[in-house]
Amino acid sequence: MGNIKMEVMIGNYSIARGLVEAGLELAAAYPGTPSSEIIPGIIEFNKREGGHIHAEWSTNERCAFEVAFGAALTGKKAACMMKQVGLNVAFPSFLSARRKRIKGGLVIICCDDPGPQSSQTEQDTRLITTLMGVTVFDPCSPREAGDVAYHAMEYSYKHKVPVVVRPTHRVSHARENIGLYKPGTRKVVLNEGIFLQSGGFGTHTKGLKDGIEGKVGVVKPSDKNPPPKGKFGIVASGMTFSITADVVHELNMLYKIPIYKVIKINPVEKGLFDFVDSLEKILVLEETDIVLESVIHRGNKVFGRKNGYVPAAGELTYDTIRDIIERLANETGLGKSGFSPDISIEDSLKEITFTPRPPTLCAGCPHRSAFFAMKHAFPDAIFPGDIGCYTLGISMGAVDTCIDMGGGVDLASGFYKAFSQDGKFIPIIASIGDSTFFHAGLEPLYDARLTGKRFILVIMDNSTTAMTGMQPTPQSGITADGTKTHSINIQDVVKAFGVDFLRIIDPYDIPLLIETLKEAYNYLASDNNLEHKPAMIITKRECILSAKTKPDASSGAVDIEQNCIGCKVCTKYFDCPALVFDNEKQKITIDEGLCIKCGLCLVVCSMKRPSKKAKK
């Protein structure tokens, strides 16, 4: 790349760099993994270039989309960022705006999460955008993601329509060496087409700029360079293409299995159909819905999700893709002499054992003590939960449901009404985080107050958006770039709704929190609640990861082993990762590398310890 400066960065920073170099003027987002690092990247590169880009964390994805769309209507180059389920929140605006003529440019970066890794669903943004007639780009690597972001902004600005870029989490969080250009000087040519070993099909090949550089070349179908003829070819897009190319290379079948890489979807390039029509069988590898497979629509010659060759759901990993290609290659007669004799990844891992470790709250997390208190106070209650770190309360039995942001509050209302119709009044304790409360909890709480629902709502306030990377909340009083701004307190909003029972509790004070939960339940059932209002408890303590200093130990060094009787109730009910049961000693030990010496396990031990008589 000559004298171009290079820098290793994750895909999200590459996207940010591409947008900045394309002349971005406004960016808005709500943090959601795997998209959260794009706004910080934009802010970083804007500072480096001495630019004047406005970048903000919006209250939710709809706000982010509409702010960016408004700027694009006036002629600005704007972008908004979100994850795939965030597009659901912005969908009413997106649906209305998708065909509007804009004066500037608008790029929606919607990061998908196959698997899913950190989401409640793995929906495919390509599917909804294709159905809605919106152009969507699907990059295959961090470097290509930056090129695609740059090209998408130019495309949008030229055609005056919103466009979508859909990277998956492997693209967003992988690292690659990225060239840094001055804004407006980058020249991008997207390498969409047939990828083969150099010297294979066709005579005019050029090095592949992105993904698997040095291994394959690209051929653009033309009269002088017709599509390949053969038994079996592959169509792939996004990270699935990068993995597929690696698999075919390692199976020593680059000369035998041509691959068509799709970057732009709706409309797809004509070359894709020429490629498909030139081969007897086509394998479609894409994440995660049937999009390219539906676009190709060539009946029995296409192998993919429809006929069961590709799993119906989940991420397409290296092992999965290799198994699929090997199966189809064998069936078409290519596998007998084409496979590399190298030991497979599966064989190389046979001697390695892994101990599965389920996700759990951090040691010292204030949410853990809140969940423990909720379950201890009302073990038979219904616990509607929400999206965020606090979803992990499910492992403690204090989260029963998780559908979408703010859904726990509405579910609590529905549960209350359903049971009250049958003449029953049972404990219902909903939980929601501070950022989620502002994102999607205001309307459900107002509705519950207006229509007389009786349940306890615990707002877990840790002063940050923890799960997605410590972004500020409306309470933080700072903007995305660190500028001080107005802080909005949760308690002020709750009081404005007319909620009478409101307590603010340090969740580390477990006995007080248990007592307060019981007080809240008694209030709901009492004559003092004639209007039938929810009861509110705010558990307020800073996230342990963002705390400047670790909390003071309640008793100095934590020594839970000394009086341990091996009952395991602390691991069963408290679920702290720093508590480890020693099978040899038949006692709990402390993992000093994880323990923050909060002393909460000692409180839990004293509260849950069974008597020796009961143990017998």
Side-chain angles (χ1 to χ4, degrees), residues 115-133:
Q117 304 290 322
S118 56
S119 310
Q120 62 269 44
T121 66
E122 60 170 8
Q123 65 196 57
D124 189 337
T125 297
R126 299 174 312 145
L127 181 60
I128 192 64
T129 50
T130 301
L131 289 173
M132 294 298 107

Side-chain angles (χ1 to χ4, degrees), residues 61 87 116 131 158 172 178 221 246-247 268 311 376 413 424 444 454 476 496 511 546 590 599:
E61 292 86 356
L87 185 60
L131 289 173
K158 176 182 177 180
S172 291
I178 307 299
D246 281 339
V247 168
V268 296
H376 187 279
S413 291
K424 299 176 183 178
R454 291 188 291 172
S476 303
S546 63
I590 298 292

Side-chain angles (χ1 to χ4, degrees), residues 314-588:
E315 182 181 6
L316 294 183
T317 63
Y318 175 94
D319 292 343
T320 302
I321 290 175
R322 180 167 177 145
D323 288 344
I324 295 168
I325 293 175
E326 285 181 344
R327 175 187 174 187
L328 197 53
N330 279 320
E331 291 180 4
T332 55
L334 294 176
K336 294 179 181 179
S337 60
F339 286 166
S340 167
D342 295 343
I343 297 175
S344 69
I345 295 295
E346 296 92 330
D347 291 336
S348 66
L349 293 177
K350 281 182 178 178
E351 301 301 321
I352 303 175
T353 58
F354 299 94
T355 302
R357 191 172 191 174
T360 185
L361 296 166
C362 301
C365 175
H367 298 341
R368 175 176 286 103
S369 51
F371 283 130
F372 175 82
M374 290 159 57
K375 188 69 175 179
H376 187 279
F378 296 100
D380 298 322
I382 296 176
F383 299 103
D386 223 293
I387 306 298
C389 290
Y390 29 88
T391 306
L392 297 174
I394 192 170
S395 65
M396 300 177 68
V399 169
D400 295 326
T401 67
C402 179
I403 56 169
D404 67 342
M405 297 182 77
V409 184
D410 278 329
L411 286 174
S413 291
F415 290 146
Y416 166 73
K417 203 62 186 176
F419 284 107
S420 66
Q421 285 179 331
D422 296 335
K424 299 176 183 178
F425 181 65
I426 64 174
I428 301 170
I429 308 177
S431 56
I432 191 172
D434 49 339
S435 178
T436 305
F437 176 72
F438 285 108
H439 175 285
L442 294 171
E443 297 93 334
L445 178 59
Y446 171 75
D447 182 74
R449 167 67 181 87
L450 187 68
T451 55
K453 308 300 195 311
R454 291 188 291 172
F455 58 87
I456 300 170
L457 177 60
V458 178
I459 301 179
M460 297 180 171
D461 179 6
N462 62 0
S463 304
T464 189
T465 313
M467 179 163 275
T468 55
M470 304 299 172
Q471 294 82 14
T473 73
Q475 284 197 120
S476 303
I478 57 173
T479 62
D481 63 2
T483 303
K484 290 185 178 180
T485 186
H486 178 67
S487 173
I488 303 176
N489 292 320
I490 293 176
Q491 55 266 35
D492 293 339
V493 176
V494 172
K495 289 177 181 177
F497 281 178
V499 173
D500 294 331
F501 189 99
L502 173 62
R503 305 288 186 273
I504 302 174
I505 306 292
D506 181 351
Y508 269 28
D509 193 340
I510 294 176
L512 178 59
L513 182 52
I514 292 173
E515 180 184 332
T516 305
L517 285 161
K518 292 179 178 179
E519 181 188 358
Y521 179 75
N522 292 334
Y523 162 78
L524 294 175
S526 71
D527 293 337
N528 295 326
N529 188 27
L530 293 176
E531 291 186 47
H532 290 186
K533 303 176 183 178
M536 306 283 296
I537 298 174
I538 301 174
T539 59
K540 191 173 182 64
R541 178 173 274 264
E542 188 176 12
C543 172
I544 195 64
L545 294 181
S546 63
K548 295 180 180 179
T549 59
K550 292 182 179 179
D552 295 333
S554 59
S555 58
V558 176
D559 185 5
I560 199 171
E561 182 178 345
Q562 183 177 359
N563 297 316
C564 181
I565 61 173
C567 65
K568 297 186 182 180
V569 293
C570 59
T571 55
K572 180 179 179 181
Y573 294 105
F574 200 56
D575 195 36
C576 178
L579 300 176
V580 181
F581 189 77
D582 189 319
N583 290 316
E584 184 176 337
K585 296 180 180 178
Q586 287 294 298
K587 288 187 175 185
I588 294 292

